[in-house]
Amino acid sequence: MVDLTERQARIIEIVKKSGPISGEDIASQLKLSRAALRPHLSVLTMSGHLAARPRVGYYYTGKTENSLITKALRKIKVKEVKAIPVVVKEDTSVYDAAVSLILEDTGTIFVVGEDGYLAGVVSRKDFLKSCIGGTSTSQMPVGFIMTRMPNIITTESDEDVLEAAKKIMEYQVDSLPVVRQVKDGKLKIIGRFTKTSITRLMTELGGEM
Ligand code: ADP
């Protein structure tokens, strides 16, 4: 569901009650400038809550989270768009892990511990940081520079892509390991869900590929 701010919820109330109503009239009821109101109206029309007709004004569509895009995205599960993960062991050298990153043409590498379960994540920036750190990258294990469990944001096969995409935005990361819970809370890596997965999905939905 698109999370509305208090102000956006208030705008919807006004439009429900008095619509069709001009942007100017909404602004004056809220004691806001047109400029301050504009981005809220854009969000609400894009989300499908409100619609606008020239010379008539804004009106309430009655659609809430059922906007078509939300509905479509809720139906698509992570397993339908996930890619093959690139995985190395924790004792792999930073050098060898960087070679995998390049050869596999990926932006993020997932790291597993001795037990084969998710231990961490290494991104391009982590590799860059290790290069300016001074220690030889062939001497340093990748476990040394990774972001470590339990601080890893993950997704699961049956999560819908909208929820997974929201995690990517909220935590500002490029990719999420797709995992399956096994015993003792250990996580088996079964895929990756990335910004590219989302972009590919968008172009497919738009019928462009
Ligand atoms: P970049 O290095 O290109 O900025 P990210 O934004 O994905 O790539 O990574 C930023 C930081 O977040 C890195 O330190 C990385 O280890 C960490 N990170 C990446 N993905 C995840 C994730 N799924 N969960 C937790 N931390 C992550």
Side-chain angles (χ1 to χ4, degrees):
M1 194 171 103
V2 178
D3 286 327
L4 296 179
T5 64
E6 220 169 279
R7 176 150 289 159
Q8 287 159 0
R10 177 88 183 94
I11 293 169
I12 291 178
E13 283 314 307
I14 291 173
V15 178
K16 255 189 204 171
K17 202 163 132 229
S18 324
I21 176 173
S22 69
E24 211 160 308
D25 289 346
I26 300 171
S28 82
Q29 285 203 34
L30 287 169
K31 300 192 176 48
L32 267 185
S33 69
R34 277 291 279 134
L37 181 66
R38 200 166 298 125
H40 294 299
L41 289 176
S42 305
V43 168
L44 292 172
T45 46
M46 275 192 296
S47 65
H49 289 86
L50 301 184
R53 231 176 256 145
R55 286 183 298 280
V56 177
Y58 290 90
Y59 59 93
Y60 182 61
T61 59
K63 289 183 193 153
T64 51
E65 65 174 311
N66 289 336
S67 89
L68 291 175
I69 291 177
T70 312
K71 236 166 132 180
L73 291 179
R74 288 244 173 260
K75 262 195 257 164
I76 302 167
K77 303 297 174 196
V78 164
K79 65 177 161 223
E80 294 167 58
V81 296
K82 72 179 197 287
I84 295 169
V86 181
V87 180
V88 300
K89 281 205 194 142
E90 203 170 339
D91 57 4
T92 309
S93 70
V94 170
Y95 182 93
D96 286 342
V99 169
S100 299
L101 182 100
I102 294 162
L103 290 181
E104 307 275 355
D105 194 17
T106 182
T108 312
I109 293 219
F110 301 138
V111 183
V112 291
E114 276 299 306
D115 55 8
Y117 297 121
L118 178 64
V121 169
V122 197
S123 76
R124 281 179 277 228
K125 216 177 292 155
D126 298 326
F127 281 112
L128 283 173
K129 275 194 231 156
S130 75
C131 289
I132 54 180
T135 316
S136 159
T137 52
S138 49
Q139 301 302 317
M140 200 189 323
V142 78
F144 209 70
I145 65 163
M146 70 187 185
T147 300
R148 192 171 274 283
M149 281 290 280
N151 300 321
I152 305 298
I153 313 303
T154 63
T155 181
E156 293 188 9
S157 282
D158 285 324
E159 184 159 59
D160 64 63
V161 290
L162 189 57
E163 285 309 314
K166 275 160 65 176
K167 286 182 185 170
I168 284 190
M169 290 306 292
E170 184 178 347
Y171 295 98
Q172 298 183 8
V173 292
D174 287 352
S175 102
L176 306 176
V178 183
V179 297
R180 185 184 315 128
Q181 289 252 11
V182 289
K183 58 178 172 22
D184 309 331
K186 297 272 184 197
L187 302 176
K188 184 175 163 56
I189 306 170
I190 55 173
R192 73 186 148 116
F193 179 81
T194 67
K195 286 183 177 172
T196 305
S197 315
I198 303 168
T199 312
R200 188 183 313 112
L201 179 63
M202 288 291 126
T203 52
E204 280 170 8
L205 287 177
E208 296 295 326
M209 280 184 90

